[in-house]
Amino acid sequence: MEPESRYREMPACYHDNETLACIARRSSTRAFDPTRPPTEEQRAAVLHAASRAPSAGAMMLYSIIDIQERTTLERLAVLCDDQPFIAKAPWALVFVADYAKWMDLFAALELAADEPRGIRPPGRGELAIAAQDAVAAAQTAVIAAEAVGLGSCYIGDVVENAEDVAELLDLPPYTLPLSMLVIGTPAKERPVTPHAVENLVMSERYRRADAATRAAQVAEMDALYRPHATEPGARVQDIYHRKHMSAFMAEMDRSLARWCANWTGEGSLRV
């Protein structure tokens, strides 16, 4: 049996398991009910769940910035590719890959007192595991939010405009804001977003798609993209022009280079 055929249809156990059903019904929320902001109990549940996510060596190589101030949300809406719905969200969480707190601990305990070059700054290895920690915490928060009646939307654009975001959130060297969630009570019922599964799960080894697989992948994406797909390959063309070649992706690439230098301490974003 091909791996993809095993999960193309929802397994029967989803109907009997509330956790799996929660994952299946989850969809991004961009419109929030202003009359029903998250309660303190809901906030506490989401943050506690995030803290229970897997962490490399239990080091918790991330920090969560809890944002509720309207002025901060409005500024983030501008900095994150001008998305007005961010400003209307009642709550945002920024998940920061964070080695600054470990560098502070190493220094406080004078662990490198005998090292002529001082404490070795974090490198790409530390960034890789910190990124995994941060994403695991963010996705756990997403599922917890859904479980307590809240909707959420990932904002990857928080890595853009590095200099301004670093200033807004007081981010020191050895940090990188990897992702942001906006969270609130959905303003209306959200339809489940279909996800493509062609060329997704590969058995034992990575597999480059052959012509037949690519054709099936394009056809599936076009089918999911209707009524926007007016010609074969419309979804691929849309991604190419709207995402791959976009100005915001160029800015994201520029900013990520700055964030990586900030991570190693070689190019601090804060004066």
Side-chain angles (χ1 to χ4, degrees):
M1 180 184 294
E2 286 295 317
E4 287 163 0
S5 65
R6 300 173 193 165
Y7 63 91
R8 189 177 301 279
E9 299 297 330
M10 187 182 298
C13 62
Y14 269 65
H15 303 291
D16 302 320
N17 186 299
E18 180 53 33
T19 301
L20 293 176
C22 178
I23 293 171
R25 69 172 178 261
R26 191 265 165 189
S27 186
S28 292
T29 299
R30 295 177 177 84
F32 303 101
D33 186 343
T35 68
R36 294 190 294 159
T39 65
E40 289 305 311
E41 184 177 13
Q42 287 173 316
R43 295 181 196 274
V46 171
L47 291 171
H48 176 74
S51 76
R52 298 297 303 155
S55 169
M59 290 177 67
M60 312 298 283
L61 292 171
Y62 65 95
S63 292
I64 305 171
I65 301 179
D66 182 332
I67 298 171
Q68 300 178 46
E69 290 186 2
R70 183 59 44 199
T71 54
T72 305
L73 290 165
E74 289 172 350
R75 182 62 177 147
L76 285 168
V78 173
L79 295 175
C80 295
D81 200 38
D82 294 309
Q83 299 185 78
F85 78 91
I86 296 173
K88 298 179 181 179
W91 190 26
L93 298 175
V94 178
F95 291 81
V96 180
D98 184 3
Y99 216 82
K101 54 189 176 186
W102 282 100
M103 294 293 282
D104 290 344
L105 287 172
F106 297 156
L109 295 179
E110 299 181 343
L111 297 182
D114 298 329
E115 297 286 344
R117 296 185 180 179
I119 302 173
R120 179 184 70 81
R124 286 172 287 191
E126 285 89 357
L127 179 55
I129 58 175
Q132 293 176 62
D133 271 17
V135 169
Q139 184 59 17
T140 303
V142 163
I143 300 305
E146 189 73 28
V148 297
L150 299 175
S152 64
C153 183
Y154 271 104
I155 308 294
D157 304 274
V158 74
V159 302
E160 293 182 48
N161 296 299
E163 299 83 356
D164 292 326
V165 171
E167 180 179 2
L168 178 67
L169 302 181
D170 289 331
L171 291 171
Y174 319 124
T175 62
L176 190 163
L178 201 63
S179 193
M180 180 169 77
L181 296 176
V182 290
I183 304 172
T185 304
K188 58 183 179 180
E189 185 175 349
R190 300 152 294 158
V192 175
T193 303
H195 286 211
V197 298
E198 290 287 349
N199 199 26
L200 183 64
V201 178
M202 303 172 187
S203 180
E204 305 296 341
R205 301 287 189 276
Y206 188 88
R207 180 194 68 203
R208 297 294 291 269
D210 57 19
T213 302
R214 289 195 299 272
Q217 191 176 357
V218 169
E220 179 187 46
M221 286 190 290
D222 284 346
L224 296 177
Y225 195 53
R226 287 178 180 152
H228 305 291
T230 56
E231 60 182 279
R235 178 58 169 164
V236 178
Q237 294 178 47
D238 173 68
I239 292 297
Y240 177 80
H241 294 294
R242 188 167 56 88
K243 296 280 190 179
H244 185 71
M245 298 299 292
S246 66
F248 82 78
M249 192 58 70
E251 166 54 28
M252 190 176 290
D253 187 60
R254 183 203 70 83
S255 279
L256 192 56
R258 293 299 314 276
W259 282 121
C260 287
N262 188 70
W263 177 262
T264 61
E266 297 171 300
S268 173
L269 290 165
R270 305 296 309 284
V271 177

